[in-house]
Amino acid sequence: FFSGNFRALEQGRNPINISTDNLANSTGAVFEQVQNPTSDNIKAKIAAIIRPFSTTTGSAGIQYRVFTSENDAELSIKLSAGGGYAGFKASGGYSTQQTDKKYYLTIDAIKPLYTLTTSLPANGYFSDKSIEAGNPNLIVLKSVTYGTRILANLEITLQTQQDAIDFKASFGADSGKGVSANASATFNYLKTSKAASTTANVYVVGGPLNTTLFETDKLQQQIMELVARCNYQTAQPIA
C-alpha cells in the first residue's frame, strides 16, 4: 500500500498489548504491554517476546504455491497476492527477460512458525481523538506471521507446442489463472522434463541463507533440507 511509504502516527496513542501463539516453545513472557507504542518501543517489546524462543524447527508443514509469469510486474503482483509480506524484493537472479519461448515458473514455499498479534485497546488506539478525525485512511497491522519463505524462480524454455501443453497441464496453468497449489506435480515435471533449466535462483526469507542456486531435479529435497535448518530464532515476517 502507498508504495511502501508507511507513516506511523506515534503521538497521542493508548497502550497496546502484543501477544504470541508460540506458547510451548518459549521460556519467556507470551505477551508484552507497550505503554508508549512508538515504532522503537514496539520493536523492543517484540524482541523481548522473541528472544526466549527455542531453536527447535517447529512442527508446521510446508505450504506451496506455484505460478507462472512473463515479466517482473506480473511476478510481483502474484507474489504479493494472498497476504504476501514485504520480505521479497526482486533482485539478482530474479531478473526476467520476456521472450516468445520462455516462461518463468515460481515455486513459493512457506513454513509458518508463530504469529504476533495485537488487539484493539478498550479505549481505542488514540487517546487524542482528533488524530482519527484528521486521518481518515488509517491502517492497523493487527498480526504478523513469522517463519521461512523460499521463492524458487526457474526459467522454462519450451521448444514445441506439445512442450507448452505438457508444461501448462502439469500444474494447472491452463486454468487461466497461472497459479496452482499442485506442487507435487510441478516437482515431478521438473524432474522429468527436458524443457526445464538445470538450475533455479532461490530467494530465502527467514533462513540461514539469502540467495542460492538449487538443482532443478532435486528442488523439492533441497527446499525441505533448507527449511529443516530454520527455527524460531531465524524466523522472519512472511505474512
Side-chain angles (χ1 to χ4, degrees):
F1 296 150
F2 311 121
S3 301
N5 296 318
F6 294 101
R7 183 173 63 90
L9 298 178
E10 299 185 335
Q11 304 303 315
R13 294 275 301 271
N14 285 319
I16 63 170
N17 286 337
I18 300 174
S19 62
T20 178
D21 61 355
N22 183 28
L23 307 182
N25 300 284
S26 177
T27 58
V30 296
F31 80 94
E32 292 278 353
Q33 186 178 72
V34 191
Q35 281 290 339
N36 181 22
T38 64
S39 296
D40 289 342
N41 289 340
I42 290 172
K43 290 175 183 176
K45 291 299 185 179
I46 288 176
I49 294 174
I50 292 175
R51 282 196 191 104
F53 285 1
S54 72
T55 56
T56 57
T57 57
S59 59
I62 304 175
Q63 303 169 12
Y64 289 101
R65 288 192 311 158
V66 180
F67 45 86
T68 59
S69 57
E70 296 184 22
N71 53 63
D72 285 335
E74 185 181 3
L75 175 63
S76 296
I77 290 170
K78 289 180 177 177
L79 283 175
S80 60
Y85 192 67
F88 170 77
K89 191 173 185 179
S91 62
Y94 261 80
S95 62
T96 58
Q97 295 180 352
Q98 186 173 1
T99 70
D100 292 338
K101 296 182 179 180
K102 293 185 186 296
Y103 277 91
Y104 294 92
L105 178 65
T106 300
I107 298 172
D108 186 4
I110 69 167
K111 181 176 182 178
L113 288 175
Y114 62 88
T115 298
L116 297 182
T117 305
T118 185
S119 55
L120 176 66
N123 295 322
Y125 288 107
F126 294 97
S127 56
D128 182 354
K129 300 304 179 184
S130 66
I131 294 177
E132 288 189 54
N135 295 274
N137 298 313
L138 296 174
I139 294 175
V140 175
L141 196 63
K142 184 176 180 180
S143 69
V144 177
T145 297
Y146 289 67
T148 303
R149 186 180 191 186
I150 298 174
L151 294 162
N153 204 40
L154 303 100
E155 183 181 277
I156 308 297
T157 302
L158 304 177
Q159 301 293 344
T160 68
Q161 185 176 10
Q162 187 60 48
D163 282 343
I165 293 172
D166 293 342
F167 169 66
K168 292 181 179 180
S170 68
F171 64 100
D174 51 357
S175 66
K177 297 180 180 179
V179 180
S180 172
N182 193 354
S184 178
T186 302
F187 287 126
N188 288 335
Y189 170 83
L190 294 173
K191 289 178 182 178
T192 59
S193 174
K194 291 181 170 53
S197 57
T198 57
T199 58
N201 294 300
V202 177
Y203 187 89
V204 183
V205 178
L209 301 171
N210 288 323
T211 57
T212 187
L213 291 178
F214 279 6
E215 298 171 76
T216 305
D217 58 347
K218 300 177 182 177
L219 189 57
Q220 184 175 21
Q221 173 188 344
Q222 291 173 325
I223 287 176
M224 293 176 69
E225 289 174 352
L226 178 58
V227 169
R229 296 163 55 192
C230 306
N231 56 59
Y232 289 101
Q233 288 293 333
T234 63
Q236 293 291 323
I238 58 171

